[in-house]
């Protein structure tokens, strides 16, 4: 297998100076914690802006995008290096095909990730999607079944198309809060998460606007309607997740294969056997002995 090509991260120079400064500051913070590389996995349904988000974070058109072509079924990794730090972002195809989980795409993603370590998962959806349905839970379940519940301790929910005017005159922050809560609920249900199973009890939500119409502030940074400079905010949140204490996810063959159905429950066999012996076999033996002892003896036995 050919090794991954790591190019110099020239795209960072395309950002506004204020954004560059913040990104280099965050990379320096990771370096201080002996983190010199970062691998980000980007997943979600098709058409939600996964590839555009990859390009926005890299600062260049690293992944090809066409509105007239399907996403395909193969993952792509983009690697960039700057000041001794290597950033890897893995773009993946959408997990839904014809209303169902695309098993071919999922299996290809698994194969691509074999023997890689995932530091952060970006679960991408759209802010302007006003409905959460069973498909959202199915996608989350497929991710959880593949990587385990622990992946959500290393996850961010990314909402794209964030340069919008909310419907019904809702304030922007209120609309974002309602949309985030609905999607986080779907994640918890799809992943089967209890509150204590997510470190910090809440998966962080970040907003993204990948289009050229994104507003800018006086420092030429891309900002959202709430004035947040979104690129440094996303990277800062990623940094906080990495330094939050949870473990990265190493993708080995065992994780990809999942639990062996033939081994499931085997550890219970001795327990079940013991219970059967003491609560089924022993009572039957006692009943038989009692019946024998209480049975009247025939008269010929006394002669």
């Amino acid at each position: 297998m050919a090794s991954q090509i790591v190019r110099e991260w020239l795209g960072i120079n395309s950002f506004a100076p204020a954004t560059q400064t913040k990104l280099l500051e965050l990379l320096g913070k990771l370096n201080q914690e002996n983190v010199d590389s970062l691998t980000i996995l980007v997943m979600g349904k098709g058409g939600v802006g996964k590839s555009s988000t990859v390009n926005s974070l890299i600062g260049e058109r690293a992944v090809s995008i066409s509105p007239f072509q399907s996403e395909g079924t193969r993952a792509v990794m983009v690697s960039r290096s700057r000041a001794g730090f290597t950033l890897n972002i893995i773009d993946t195809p959408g997990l839904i095909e014809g209303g169902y989980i695309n098993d071919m795409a999922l299996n290809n993603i698994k194969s691509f990730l074999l023997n890689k370590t995932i530091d952060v998962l970006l679960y991408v959806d759209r802010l302007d999607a006003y409905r959460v349905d069973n498909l959202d839970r199915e996608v989350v379940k497929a991710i959880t079944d593949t990587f385990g519940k622990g992946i959500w301790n290393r996850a961010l929910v990314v909402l794209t198309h964030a340069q919008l005017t909310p419907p019904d005159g809702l304030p922007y922050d209120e609309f974002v809060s309602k949309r985030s809560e609905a999607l986080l609920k779907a994640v918890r249900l799809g992943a089967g998460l209890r509150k204590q199973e997510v470190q910090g009890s809440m998966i962080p939500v970040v907003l993204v606007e990948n289009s050229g119409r994104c507003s800018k502030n006086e420092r030429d940074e891309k900002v959202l309607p709430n004035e947040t400079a979104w690129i440094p905010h996303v990277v800062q949140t990623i940094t906080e997740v990495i330094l939050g204490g949870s473990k990265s996810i190493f993708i080995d063959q065992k994780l990809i294969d999942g639990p062996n159905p033939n081994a499931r429950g085997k550890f219970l066999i001795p327990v079940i056997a013991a219970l059967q012996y003491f609560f089924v076999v022993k009572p039957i033996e006692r009943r038989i002995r009692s019946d024998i002892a209480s049975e009247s003896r025939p008269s010929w036995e006394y002669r």
Side-chain angles (χ1 to χ4, degrees), residues 91-148:
D91 187 27
T92 63
L95 293 180
I96 296 294
E97 181 73 32
Y100 298 94
I101 294 295
N102 187 337
D103 290 327
M104 179 182 293
L106 188 58
N107 288 332
N108 286 338
I109 292 169
K110 291 179 184 179
S111 298
F112 183 86
L113 294 176
L114 183 62
N115 296 325
K116 291 181 175 64
T117 297
I118 303 305
D119 297 305
V120 174
L121 167 68
L122 301 186
Y123 179 71
V124 184
D125 208 327
R126 296 175 61 130
L127 179 62
D128 61 352
Y130 304 120
R131 192 164 61 98
V132 175
D133 56 28
N134 192 54
L135 279 181
D136 296 293
R137 291 186 286 273
E138 288 297 316
V139 171
V140 171
K141 184 177 185 301
I143 293 172
T144 309
D145 289 346
T146 301
F147 304 112

Side-chain angles (χ1 to χ4, degrees), residues 134-273:
N134 192 54
L135 279 181
D136 296 293
R137 291 186 286 273
E138 288 297 316
V139 171
V140 171
K141 184 177 185 301
I143 293 172
T144 309
D145 289 346
T146 301
F147 304 112
K149 291 183 180 181
I151 193 70
W152 297 105
N153 282 320
R154 283 273 174 158
L156 283 71
V157 169
V158 177
L159 296 177
T160 63
H161 296 261
Q163 184 85 29
L164 58 74
T165 301
D168 305 322
L170 276 176
Y172 184 81
D173 288 340
E174 182 179 344
F175 175 77
V176 169
S177 177
K178 288 180 180 295
R179 171 68 176 137
S180 300
E181 288 173 8
L183 192 54
L184 287 173
K185 182 178 180 180
V187 169
R188 288 193 296 270
L189 290 173
L193 293 174
R194 295 187 294 272
K195 202 168 186 180
Q196 61 270 28
E197 290 179 308
V198 179
Q199 192 164 317
S201 77
M202 183 66 74
I203 299 168
V205 178
V206 294
L207 305 178
V208 166
E209 178 53 64
N210 294 308
S211 75
R213 67 188 181 91
C214 186
S215 300
K216 294 184 177 181
N217 61 17
E218 67 280 359
R219 296 189 295 178
D220 204 35
E221 294 180 291
K222 293 181 177 181
V223 294
L224 303 171
N226 59 6
E227 297 301 320
T228 299
W230 73 262
I231 292 176
H233 180 251
V234 169
V235 177
Q236 179 177 343
T237 308
I238 289 172
T239 303
E240 291 168 355
V241 168
I242 291 170
L243 301 180
S246 60
K247 293 183 178 180
S248 300
I249 308 295
F250 178 68
I251 312 300
D252 58 11
Q253 193 63 51
K254 182 178 179 181
L255 184 64
I256 288 176
D257 292 340
N260 182 357
N262 295 322
R264 192 175 297 160
K266 278 189 176 180
F267 71 95
L268 291 175
I269 291 176
V271 178
I272 294 172

